[in-house]
C-alpha cells in the first residue's frame, strides 16, 4: 500500500451518510437527514451555481429583473386542520419562501395529484381554500396541472406550488451576510402549526384548541424592508422549527448563535402540549412565523415595525450572532446554564406541511 496520503477534499458521497439504504420519513423532515439527502444525492446530480446556495428560494436575474423562484410540495395529513388546510399551506408556504428573499410574490403554478376515489367535494373545498388564500396574499395562480393515481397509491390529495416574485433593488438576503453582533428576532409565538396538526391527527383532547399560524408573510417582510433594506437574512422556521432554521443559518454563515431561551415566545397551549408529549417547542413546525438576523443598529426600528404589523405583534429579540462556536447554536436557559441546540435528525411530527 502506498505511503502517499489520499486527498479526499473533493470527494462526494453518492448517498446519504447515515445507515439508511432506503428512504425513511426523516428524509422529509427538514433536519439532518433532509440536508444529507439534498447535499449528497440531489445537489451533485443537478449541479449549478444557484442550487449551491440551498435556500428555500433562488434569487436570479432574468431580462434585467431580479427574481425569486421557489417550489414546494404539500402532503399534510389531515387535509383540513384548525386554522387552515392543505390549500392554505400550498399558497402561504410558497409565498413565504419567496418573501424570505425579500420578494413580492406575483404568480404561482399549482399542481394537484389526486388519489382515485377521493370525493370531488373535498377537492372543491381544497381548491376554494387555495384560491381564497391566493387572493389574500395578492398573488395569482397563473398555470397548473392535475394528475390522478390509483386508489391506494396516494393520500387523497397532494399539492405542488411554484412561485415567482420580484426582489426590490438593494435587497440582498442570504445567510452569508450574517456577522457577529447581528440581532436575532422572531416574529411571534412558535410551535402553533405543529401542535394544531398533532392535536387533530392524534385526537388529543387538549383543554384549549390550538390553531395553526398559517399566514402569508409578504406584507410583514415589506414593512421590515421599509425600515431598512439592509436586513441580513430571513428564514421561515417550518419543518424542524426554530432550531433547524437557526442551525442552517449558523452553518451557512460560519457564525455562532446564542439563543436566550426565556425570551422565545412559546404560547401556553404549545408549552403544555410539548410538556405532556416530551417535545421541545424549538423543534415544532411553524407556518406563519419568520426569524430575522438584523444589524444591531437597525434592530429597534425593525422590531417596532414588526410589532405594528398584525403578523408581528408578538415579535421578540431572542438572541444574537457571535464569533464563538461557529456553526453552532447554543441556548442560555432560565437556570443560567447553556445547552447545545442541534439540528434535528428528522422531524418530531412528520407530514405537517
Amino acid at each position: 500500500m502506498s505511503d502517499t496520503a489520499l486527498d479526499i477534499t473533493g470527494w462526494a458521497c453518492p448517498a446519504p451518510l447515515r445507515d439508511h439504504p432506503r428512504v425513511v420519513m426523516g428524509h422529509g423532515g427538514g433536519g439532518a437527514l433532509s440536508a444529507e439527502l439534498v447535499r449528497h444525492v440531489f445537489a451533485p446530480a443537478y449541479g449549478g451555481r444557484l442550487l449551491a446556495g440551498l435556500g428555500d428560494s433562488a434569487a436570479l436575474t432574468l431580462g434585467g429583473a431580479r427574481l425569486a423562484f421557489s417550489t414546494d410540495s404539500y402532503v399534510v395529513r389531515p387535509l383540513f386542520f384548525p386554522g387552515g388546510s392543505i390549500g392554505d399551506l400550498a399558497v402561504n408556504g410558497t409565498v413565504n419562501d419567496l418573501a424570505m428573499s425579500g420578494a413580492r410574490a406575483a404568480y404561482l403554478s399549482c399542481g394537484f395529484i389526486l388519489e382515485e376515489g377521493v370525493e370531488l367535494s373535498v377537492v372543491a373545498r381544497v381548491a376554494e381554500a387555495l384560491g381564497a388564500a391566493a387572493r389574500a396574499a395578492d398573488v395569482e395562480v397563473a398555470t397548473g396541472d392535475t394528475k390522478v393515481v390509483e386508489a391506494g397509491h396516494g393520500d387523497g390529495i397532494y399539492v405542488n406550488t411554484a412561485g415567482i416574485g420580484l426582489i426590490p433593488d438593494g435587497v440582498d438576503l442570504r445567510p452569508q451576510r450574517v456577522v457577529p453582533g447581528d440581532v436575532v428576532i422572531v416574529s411571534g409565538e412558535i410551535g402553533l402549526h405543529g401542535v394544531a396538526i398533532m392535536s387533530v391527527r392524534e385526537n388529543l383532547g387538549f383543554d384549549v384548541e390550538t390553531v395553526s399560524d398559517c399566514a402569508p408573510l409578504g406584507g410583514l417582510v415589506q414593512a421590515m424592508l421599509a425600515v431598512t433594506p439592509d436586513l441580513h437574512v430571513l428564514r421561515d422556521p417550518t419543518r424542524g422549527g426554530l432550531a433547524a432554521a437557526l442551525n442552517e443559518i449558523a452553518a451557512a454563515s460560519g457564525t455562532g448563535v446564542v439563543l436566550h431561551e426565556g425570551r422565545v415566545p412559546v404560547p401556553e397551549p404549545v408549552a403544555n402540549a410539548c410538556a405532556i408529549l416530551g417535545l421541545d417547542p424549538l423543534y415544532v413546525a411553524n407556518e406563519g412565523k419568520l426569524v430575522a438576523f438584523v444589524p444591531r443598529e437597525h434592530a429597534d426600528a425593525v422590531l417596532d415595525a414588526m410589532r405594528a404589523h398584525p403578523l408581528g405583534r408578538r415579535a421578540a429579540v431572542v438572541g444574537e450572532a457571535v464569533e464563538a462556536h461557529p456553526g453552532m447554536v447554543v441556548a442560555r436557559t432560565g437556570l443560567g446554564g447553556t445547552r447545545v441546540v442541534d439540528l434535528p435528525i428528522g422531524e418530531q411530527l412528520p407530514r405537517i406541511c
Side-chain angles (χ1 to χ4, degrees):
M1 188 171 181
S2 171
D3 292 332
T4 304
L6 291 175
D7 180 6
I8 64 172
T9 56
W11 288 16
C13 178
L17 295 179
R18 299 181 192 274
D19 187 19
H20 292 293
R22 299 179 186 274
V23 172
V24 298
M25 291 301 295
H27 283 118
L33 285 176
S34 292
E36 289 178 359
L37 183 66
V38 171
R39 289 192 175 96
H40 300 293
V41 175
F42 296 132
Y46 301 160
R49 175 185 57 83
L50 291 172
L51 185 64
L54 297 180
D56 287 337
S57 64
L60 49 92
T61 302
L62 185 64
R66 292 186 68 220
L67 300 176
F69 179 37
S70 183
T71 187
D72 211 336
S73 298
Y74 300 88
V75 296
V76 66
R77 179 171 58 86
L79 298 175
F80 302 92
F81 47 83
S85 70
I86 192 172
D88 300 282
L89 285 175
V91 171
N92 294 336
T94 296
V95 165
N96 292 348
D97 284 346
L98 296 173
M100 297 308 103
S101 293
R104 294 177 180 269
Y107 299 104
L108 297 179
S109 69
C110 179
F112 272 72
I113 300 174
L114 308 176
E115 183 183 12
E116 180 186 21
V118 67
E119 295 88 348
L120 284 176
S121 61
V122 173
V123 178
R125 284 181 63 194
V126 171
E128 289 165 3
L130 194 151
R135 289 186 290 274
D138 195 23
V139 65
E140 182 177 351
V141 179
T143 188
D145 181 56
T146 304
K147 294 291 188 296
V148 177
V149 298
E150 297 89 345
H153 291 267
D155 196 14
I157 300 173
Y158 299 149
V159 182
N160 172 274
T161 50
I164 57 173
L166 288 171
I167 302 175
D169 291 338
V171 174
D172 182 17
L173 298 172
R174 49 193 173 88
Q176 291 77 15
R177 295 195 63 218
V178 171
V179 296
D182 280 358
V183 173
V184 181
I185 303 176
V186 170
S187 65
E189 296 176 326
I190 66 168
L192 291 164
H193 179 70
V195 170
I197 294 292
M198 180 167 29
S199 65
V200 292
R201 183 187 299 174
E202 306 300 336
N203 295 316
L204 300 176
F206 297 131
D207 291 338
V208 179
E209 181 183 60
T210 304
V211 177
S212 170
D213 61 344
C214 183
L217 295 171
L220 176 61
V221 171
Q222 295 308 312
M224 297 166 67
L225 291 173
V227 173
T228 175
D230 189 29
L231 307 179
H232 284 171
V233 69
L234 302 177
R235 189 65 55 91
D236 55 334
T238 53
R239 297 175 302 169
L242 180 61
L246 293 177
N247 271 278
E248 291 166 1
I249 293 170
S253 65
T255 63
V257 175
V258 173
L259 182 68
H260 299 278
E261 206 166 42
R263 300 181 190 173
V264 178
V266 179
E268 186 175 356
V270 171
N272 291 340
C274 288
I276 292 170
L277 299 169
L279 303 178
D280 186 337
L282 295 178
Y283 293 91
V284 178
N286 311 272
E287 286 292 344
K289 299 297 185 294
L290 64 81
V291 57
F293 282 63
V294 181
R296 187 169 296 275
E297 62 268 25
H298 301 310
D300 289 341
V302 170
L303 184 63
D304 288 343
M306 294 174 73
R307 288 176 172 171
H309 191 277
L311 295 179
R313 288 179 180 145
R314 296 295 306 275
V317 173
V318 298
E320 57 272 336
V322 296
E323 291 185 14
H325 49 80
M328 181 182 296
V329 180
V330 172
R332 292 182 178 165
T333 69
L335 298 176
T338 60
R339 68 182 179 100
V340 174
V341 180
D342 206 354
L343 186 68
I345 298 298
E347 168 62 49
Q348 293 183 114
L349 182 71
R351 302 280 303 280
I352 45 78
C353 64

